[in-house]
Structure formats: structure tokens, C-alpha cells
Amino acid sequence: QLQLVESGGGLVQPGGSLRLSCAASGFTPYYAIGWFRQAPGKEREGVSCISTSGSNINYADSVKGRFTISINNAKNTVYLQMNSLKPEDAAVYYCAAAPCPFIATTIFGSWGQGTQVTVSS
């Protein structure tokens, strides 16, 4: 069974940067990994996804030009580099095996704990 653990969240000022990591086990059989987020009072949404080959990448319109997803198969890790962070980016961020492009918030397996991103002065 695929297991994914998110890390790297924290408190950052508007305009700042964070890099999230998604460490995977049982990674090889799966086509793509997605990052999702859920802000207070809002439903979970897809942010970005990447195929395990790194050849297929998608971003939500709200983060294009600011976020970059990447994968290091040797480390079984997917990264989300988040630059120019805005208060509206504040959310709990989750990673999961997922279709890429997203089909709503369909994932393989179950949601983990996520990692909290807070954007505030």
C-alpha cells in the first residue's frame, strides 16, 4: 500500500517561500502524485500534480507562475516549491497518488495528516 508523508509547512510572511516535501513508500507502481490543499471553511482542492516520470505536470490556475512541482525518484520524494506566497495560500497541504490532470480530488488510498502552511505578517 502506498504511504505518503508531508512535511515542510510552517509560518511565512506574504511574499515569502516554502518548500513542501512528500516522502513516499511503495512509489513505483503509481503514475502520478498530486498536491492538494484545504483552507479553513473551504473544500479540498488540487494544487499541482506530476507523473512519476516527471514528464506530465499540471498546476491550478491560482498558483501558476508561483509554485513549482518536482520529483526525485531516487529519494521517492515529490516537492512543491512555493514562492510569492499569498494569504489565500494558507491551508493544510496534502499529497496523494492521483490522476494528472486531476479528476476532482480523486486519489489512490487515503488522506494523511498534511502539513500546515500559514501566510501571515
Side-chain angles (χ1 to χ4, degrees):
Q1 185 86 336
L2 177 66
Q3 295 292 120
L4 299 165
V5 179
E6 304 93 342
S7 63
L11 174 64
V12 65
Q13 293 184 346
S17 298
L18 286 172
R19 188 175 75 160
L20 307 184
S21 297
C22 174
S25 59
F27 196 62
T28 300
Y30 302 100
Y31 170 70
I33 301 294
W35 283 99
F36 303 79
R37 67 187 182 188
Q38 187 167 24
K42 296 185 178 180
E43 294 185 354
R44 213 185 306 255
E45 63 176 343
V47 176
S48 183
C49 59
I50 187 168
S51 62
T52 54
S53 70
S55 63
N56 187 29
I57 294 173
N58 286 273
Y59 297 98
D61 288 342
S62 59
V63 306
K64 284 181 179 177
R66 300 188 297 118
F67 291 12
T68 303
I69 194 169
S70 61
I71 189 166
N72 186 331
N73 280 309
K75 298 289 187 182
N76 290 332
T77 302
V78 174
Y79 303 96
L80 186 68
Q81 178 67 46
M82 306 187 297
N83 298 327
S84 302
L85 282 161
K86 304 175 180 179
E88 53 262 44
D89 295 317
V92 178
Y93 283 71
Y94 305 86
C95 64
C100 188
F102 293 122
I103 302 173
T105 54
T106 300
I107 65 168
F108 175 89
S110 60
W111 300 105
Q113 291 291 106
T115 185
Q116 176 73 56
V117 172
T118 303
V119 184
S120 176
S121 298

